[in-house]
Amino acid sequence: MTLTVLKSTSQGSWEKRILKSLNSMCTELSIPLARKRPVGEQKELLNKWNEMGTDEPDLSLFRPVYAPKDFLEVLINLRNPNYENGDSLSFRTHLGLIQVPLKVKDIPELKEFFVELGLTTGQLGIDDSTQVPPELFENEHVRIGQKVLAEQDSAAAQQYIRQGSPTALRAELWALILNISSQPEDILYYEQLKTNVIQHDLLVDSLIYKDVKLTASNDDYYFVFEDYLYQVLLCFSRDTSVLGHFAYNSASPPKSYIRGKLGLEEYAVFYPPNGVIPFHGFSMYVAPLCFLYHEPSKLYQIFREMYVRFFFRLHSISSHPSGIVSLCLLFETLLQTYLPQLFYHLREIGAQPLRISFKWMVRAFSGYLATDQLLLLWDRILGYNSLEILAVLAAAVFAFRAVNLMEVTSLAAAEAVLADLSTLKVMPLLQIFLFATVT
């Protein structure tokens, strides 16, 4: 079987590169894209379903199909064929790596959009609110949160978590916002996906194993969830309901054709069945959710909904305001406009800021921030139904470390200054950057 994708545009070219990498891995390793497991292998996998992390398959010959830095190179080379330099004087002065003139918000528009993050509004994740003692705000905020949950009002929950979610209420609030309720049919559907994993072995399974081993298994926060990650991601790869998101995604699901039948649609199937080929770091979209959900089918549903609402935008090329191209441009524009000295300094020494921040944004900061801080950030993604806060936080991190960054003389030195984000407090950084530092 051979994988193909039929599409023009930059997204189409990028997809062809991914598929070429996957097809060449198949050929080099003489491994089929999919095979039915022998009965003995099925029984073995079923028996160790809850302890797959103890399995140590030889993955040395497998490599991630691509990493974020490969994707960044594609975005840097994007151009709009309908765009002439003379069309936009304002964009001509943009000196970042992204050369596609998209409309992104400026600081006044961001202040208006993220108005609930203002200095006079109570926030979870801020220790010294100027208006109300933190413990009073937290007690009242918990009370309101319990009322929102009692009323099962999804829109109210979304508005509520713009100020952060109390730890004890977060799992229920996110499920309410995402319209996830564990019905018997949902559990049955998850069990059907599990059965499909047991019965069939896919090449992407090895990519998933490899990714978990390279990322979450080495993370101080997430290594304990290794088994959950395998379960969720293996089931996700088989879930054909995920194909529905391609209706509003610029990407196309890859198709596999039976050998000798290339191009004949009646011999085509989507591969993998969900249409999503995992890349290096993909498992980090799931890992933080393991802190909130311990029942596998519920964890699975939450992740799937987070992916089709938000995460897919971080690895597909589009002009959507929450798409990765817009986020990159927003980040660069914020730095160039509001921290010009820093921006020009880093550019001059060959340390374009986006080369450092891109990996944070593609992963929605998972694996970079401490988990409590990451969950406060993801509260706001859900609350505002937008990923733009990722670009704002990335710019805020540069602003916070600006003094040190002004002294570096190389990309490696700049990366060293920004290597560890695990001690950062997200909400103060965002507030100070949006409402106190820049005008």
Side-chain angles (χ1 to χ4, degrees):
M1 287 167 67
T2 304
L3 282 172
T4 67
V5 66
L6 303 172
K7 200 175 182 198
S8 56
T9 75
S10 302
Q11 176 68 33
S13 307
W14 170 235
E15 288 166 8
K16 284 177 184 170
R17 275 181 59 185
I18 296 171
L19 298 187
K20 185 179 178 184
S21 174
L22 200 56
N23 281 324
S24 66
M25 206 184 315
C26 265
T27 306
E28 287 167 23
L29 304 180
S30 301
I31 293 173
L33 287 169
R35 68 178 179 91
K36 183 153 187 177
R37 298 184 201 273
V39 175
E41 192 179 319
Q42 290 185 34
K43 286 180 179 173
E44 185 185 350
L45 181 56
L46 187 59
N47 289 336
K48 68 179 183 189
W49 180 255
N50 291 316
E51 46 192 44
M52 282 188 277
T54 60
D55 197 20
E56 291 289 344
D58 180 13
L59 302 170
S60 56
L61 296 175
F62 290 90
R63 60 184 183 273
V65 177
Y66 70 94
K69 66 176 188 296
D70 305 315
F71 188 38
L72 175 59
E73 293 308 317
V74 175
L75 302 189
I76 290 170
N77 290 309
L78 285 179
R79 298 292 182 273
N80 182 348
N82 302 319
Y83 167 67
E84 295 294 332
N85 274 344
D87 290 354
S88 172
L89 287 172
S90 62
F91 195 77
R92 252 201 258 175
T93 59
H94 181 74
L95 299 175
L97 295 173
I98 300 299
Q99 293 298 313
V100 185
L102 300 174
K103 173 76 178 83
V104 294
K105 292 181 175 71
D106 58 19
I107 287 280
E109 289 168 321
L110 289 168
K111 284 181 178 176
E112 188 177 339
F113 185 69
F114 293 115
V115 65
E116 293 85 358
L117 304 186
L119 298 169
T120 58
T121 309
Q123 297 288 332
L124 288 186
I126 302 268
D127 296 329
D128 51 352
S129 171
T130 53
Q131 302 295 310
V132 183
E135 62 278 4
L136 285 182
F137 167 71
E138 283 182 32
N139 292 341
E140 178 64 7
H141 196 55
V142 168
R143 190 188 65 77
I144 296 169
Q146 289 167 336
K147 188 177 177 208
V148 166
L149 285 173
E151 292 172 358
Q152 286 294 288
D153 185 334
S154 182
Q158 192 171 15
Q159 178 67 36
Y160 171 82
I161 66 165
R162 291 181 177 190
Q163 291 172 266
S165 172
T167 303
L169 305 183
R170 183 174 279 121
E172 286 184 81
L173 286 165
W174 285 20
L176 178 56
I177 293 165
L178 296 168
N179 295 314
I180 301 297
S181 57
S182 284
Q183 303 298 326
E185 59 267 29
D186 297 317
I187 297 168
L188 179 62
Y189 185 72
Y190 175 77
E191 289 299 322
Q192 289 169 340
L193 294 173
K194 175 180 169 182
T195 300
N196 197 309
V197 175
I198 299 295
Q199 291 177 345
H200 297 90
D201 180 28
L202 304 182
L203 171 65
V204 292
D205 295 354
S206 294
L207 299 179
I208 289 166
Y209 273 110
K210 181 91 172 189
D211 187 54
V212 173
K213 293 290 185 194
L214 287 174
T215 56
S217 296
N218 294 321
D219 190 287
D220 290 345
Y221 292 105
Y222 303 127
F223 72 94
V224 293
F225 300 124
E226 192 175 347
D227 296 327
Y228 278 150
L229 297 177
Y230 293 132
Q231 291 170 14
V232 167
L233 288 166
L234 291 172
C235 287
F236 182 68
S237 67
R238 272 76 170 172
D239 192 344
T240 55
S241 76
V242 177
L243 291 167
H245 91 282
F246 286 103
Y248 51 88
N249 183 352
S250 60
S252 300
K255 286 181 179 177
S256 175
Y257 292 85
I258 293 170
R259 197 177 296 281
K261 303 293 184 180
L262 185 62
L264 298 175
E265 289 304 307
E266 63 266 35
Y267 295 100
V269 292
F270 291 118
Y271 183 90
N274 69 346
V276 180
I277 295 172
F279 58 90
H280 179 58
F282 194 85
S283 59
M284 298 304 283
Y285 291 146
V286 188
L289 302 174
C290 297
F291 276 100
L292 304 182
Y293 305 97
H294 306 119
E295 198 278 300
S297 70
K298 183 78 172 276
L299 169 63
Y300 177 75
Q301 289 177 75
I302 295 286
F303 164 66
R304 181 180 62 191
E305 193 60 28
M306 288 288 284
Y307 180 81
V308 300
R309 285 200 193 193
F310 301 112
F311 296 148
F312 80 91
R313 298 198 183 280
L314 297 174
H315 63 95
S316 52
I317 300 169
S318 78
S319 57
H320 192 280
S322 280
I324 191 63
V325 184
S326 294
L327 298 186
C328 290
L329 186 57
L330 174 57
F331 165 75
E332 290 193 320
T333 304
L334 287 173
L335 277 195
Q336 185 178 338
T337 306
Y338 299 102
L339 294 160
Q341 276 187 294
L342 176 62
F343 182 83
Y344 292 126
H345 169 67
L346 292 174
R347 189 171 172 268
E348 283 301 303
I349 63 167
Q352 277 277 12
L354 185 59
R355 290 201 180 275
I356 300 170
S357 67
F358 185 73
K359 59 184 179 292
W360 306 338
M361 294 190 287
V362 165
R363 278 206 205 166
F365 281 89
S366 179
Y368 296 105
L369 296 172
T371 304
D372 63 324
Q373 297 301 306
L374 183 75
L375 296 175
L376 287 166
L377 177 67
W378 286 14
D379 281 342
R380 275 69 180 195
I381 289 174
L382 282 158
Y384 290 97
N385 195 33
S386 166
L387 292 164
E388 288 163 299
I389 201 162
L390 299 177
V392 179
L393 178 59
V397 171
F398 273 75
F400 180 65
R401 298 266 169 90
V403 173
N404 302 87
L405 288 169
M406 286 299 291
E407 295 176 0
V408 302
T409 55
S410 67
L411 174 60
E415 285 176 329
V417 168
L418 296 163
D420 183 9
L421 309 186
S422 64
T423 59
L424 296 183
K425 300 293 184 188
V426 165
M427 296 319 301
L429 275 186
L430 286 167
Q431 273 198 335
I432 291 166
F433 182 75
L434 277 177
F435 296 95
T437 302
V438 296
T439 55

